[in-house]
Amino acid sequence: MPKSHTPGVPKLLRVLNDQAALKLLLEDGPQTRAQLAERTSMSKVTASQMMERLQTRGLVEVVGSKSGGRGPNASLYAAVPTFTYVVGVEVGPVTTKGACADFTGRIVGRAEIDVEGSTDPVAVVRRVVTDSVADAGIEMGKVGRITLGTPGVIDPASGDIGFSWNLPAWHRGLRTALNEEFAPAVAIENDVNLATIAEQRSGGAGGASDFVYAWFGGGLGLGVILNGGLYRGASGAAGEIGFLPVPGGDLPTGGVVTRLSKGSYQRVIGGDAVLDIGAKHGFDAAEPEDVLTAALAAGPEGASCLDEIARGIALGIVAVCVLLDPTVVVLGGPVGYAGGLELAGRVAAQTSQLAPVTPSVVAGTVVEEPIMRGAILHGLDAVRESLFD
């Protein structure tokens, strides 16, 4: 019988081994070859070969040594931070922020510009990207990926903006224009989806492969993780829960809802509604998250305010739970982060009263720049994946 030839298998195994080793070094820091061999269930010889290949490519370097008892000290290997860089951009209607991060995810450069009223999104992105890269003290040629986080619907087929409520100048064709402007590839992602990625990796989701992240602030949004990956829907509109019909959220006159309408759920528990609830209970505030902060600080006197906000949130959470039955519901956005564990507990209790579900509702923990953090992780994922294509 003729021999079976599978020349690609050894190469594929080497690629998978190298990916696994690099992932460990990036996530857990410096390690010896013996540690890598143990954690990847490979022989020390194989681990040594992996390190040689990764060193040759400039991906890892020796950063020190570790005593192992008898015999010489073992070399400590780590990912090379300067191998490449990514830029995350958080787009808002008033300001746009950029952050340049190295290969390990450490932010090394920042920029922020005022964009209120701007009608040239390409110029906005160009400036914030170049300013953050300049602040990092590197050349643009070292940047491997740029990821924009923006409100609105992103077409999953084209990767372009389909519609953005707060940013009318940001339109279809922008991604193409940006990719013509920059050498590194540019990706555009919904801002709540990026915050969801941040919570998935190091936040309240606890590494769950199926969970939802609910954003409550001026606007509302939902990030859905199914089988470990983001679910965007056929048109990218998955998670636009502001339009979820709920009790108390009257529909527009005539009952016709358009993209410019204020959705039913948005009317019940969007930013303006939270401010109204706060004022009714004696907690006047400039921002919706300030209502939560004041009500929590008031102790027992703030309980009724917190309960009313929790009831409004629960109307949407119960719909999500009976449809998707997620392992965890993470409350995020300015209101979710400000409410913390106290609000999460009240939402869980209210949800259980509305339907026979007992969701695990937790407070998000990536409080500082969750959208920016997610944009950087999104970019790094793409760069690291491309290394082994």
Side-chain angles (χ1 to χ4, degrees):
M1 292 180 63
K3 293 182 178 179
S4 175
H5 296 286
T6 54
V9 171
K11 182 178 180 180
L12 176 60
L13 290 175
R14 287 197 296 272
V15 167
L16 294 175
N17 290 345
D18 291 356
Q19 276 184 308
L22 182 60
K23 186 172 185 287
L24 285 172
L25 292 175
L26 286 166
E27 293 180 352
D28 299 335
Q31 297 180 58
T32 66
R33 285 176 292 184
Q35 288 174 315
L36 288 168
E38 181 180 359
R39 297 191 62 188
T40 57
S41 300
M42 300 173 194
S43 68
K44 291 182 180 180
V45 172
T46 300
S48 295
Q49 293 170 343
M50 287 191 301
M51 290 302 97
E52 288 176 9
R53 289 193 296 268
L54 294 174
Q55 275 187 293
T56 299
R57 296 185 62 181
L59 291 164
V60 305
E61 61 186 350
V62 176
V63 294
S65 61
K66 181 178 180 180
S67 175
R70 295 181 179 179
N73 291 346
S75 296
L76 274 172
Y77 294 87
V80 178
T82 58
F83 177 78
T84 192
Y85 296 82
V86 299
V87 175
V89 177
E90 182 178 343
V91 179
V94 178
T95 62
T96 289
K97 298 186 293 184
C100 180
D102 66 22
F103 191 46
T104 67
R106 183 174 66 93
I107 293 176
V108 293
R110 289 183 175 274
E112 181 172 347
I113 61 173
D114 185 351
V115 298
E116 191 167 16
S118 172
T119 58
D120 188 353
V122 174
V124 168
V125 176
R126 180 195 305 121
R127 181 178 166 190
V128 79
V129 168
T130 54
D131 285 359
S132 63
V133 170
D135 188 53
I138 63 168
E139 300 293 328
M140 183 61 73
K142 290 287 290 180
V143 177
R145 187 81 169 187
I146 300 168
T147 298
L148 274 64
T150 175
V153 174
I154 311 300
D155 186 332
S158 67
D160 214 339
I161 293 177
F163 183 81
S164 182
W165 292 262
N166 296 333
L167 303 164
W170 297 67
H171 49 71
R172 287 189 182 275
L174 177 60
R175 182 170 180 263
T176 299
L178 290 172
N179 275 306
E180 291 173 352
E181 176 80 18
F182 295 103
V186 179
I188 304 175
E189 183 57 85
N190 174 266
D191 51 3
V192 175
N193 281 347
L194 292 177
T196 304
I197 291 173
E199 287 288 350
Q200 180 188 32
R201 300 294 179 82
S202 57
S209 60
D210 293 271
F211 77 95
V212 295
Y213 170 84
W215 177 283
F216 295 96
L220 309 179
L222 188 79
V224 181
I225 298 290
L226 296 178
N227 297 321
L230 271 172
Y231 178 75
R232 297 175 175 84
S235 64
E240 294 297 334
I241 56 171
F243 291 102
L244 190 69
V246 297
D250 295 334
L251 297 177
T253 303
V256 179
V257 177
T258 70
R259 283 180 166 177
L260 295 177
S261 303
K262 182 179 285 189
S264 175
Y265 193 39
Q266 176 75 28
R267 291 169 182 265
V268 167
I269 203 63
D272 290 341
V274 172
L275 290 174
D276 289 343
I277 293 170
K280 184 173 72 173
H281 290 274
F283 300 108
D284 291 298
E287 300 294 339
E289 58 267 32
D290 297 336
V291 172
L292 276 296
T293 301
L296 287 168
E301 294 182 2
S304 59
C305 179
L306 293 172
D307 281 338
E308 186 168 349
I309 292 171
R311 274 195 297 273
I313 290 175
L315 291 174
I317 298 304
V318 71
V320 172
C321 287
V322 297
L323 182 65
L324 296 177
D325 192 22
T327 304
V328 181
V329 176
V330 180
L331 299 186
V335 168
Y337 291 127
L341 293 173
E342 182 69 23
L343 178 64
R346 291 172 187 267
V347 170
Q350 295 281 354
T351 301
S352 298
Q353 293 176 15
L354 293 171
V357 294
T358 54
S360 173
V361 182
V362 303
T365 59
V366 186
V367 179
E368 297 296 326
E369 300 184 310
I371 297 169
M372 183 71 77
R373 187 71 244 166
I376 290 169
L377 289 169
H378 185 282
L380 288 172
D381 285 347
V383 167
R384 293 167 185 173
E385 188 69 27
S386 69
L387 293 173
F388 299 98
D389 283 346

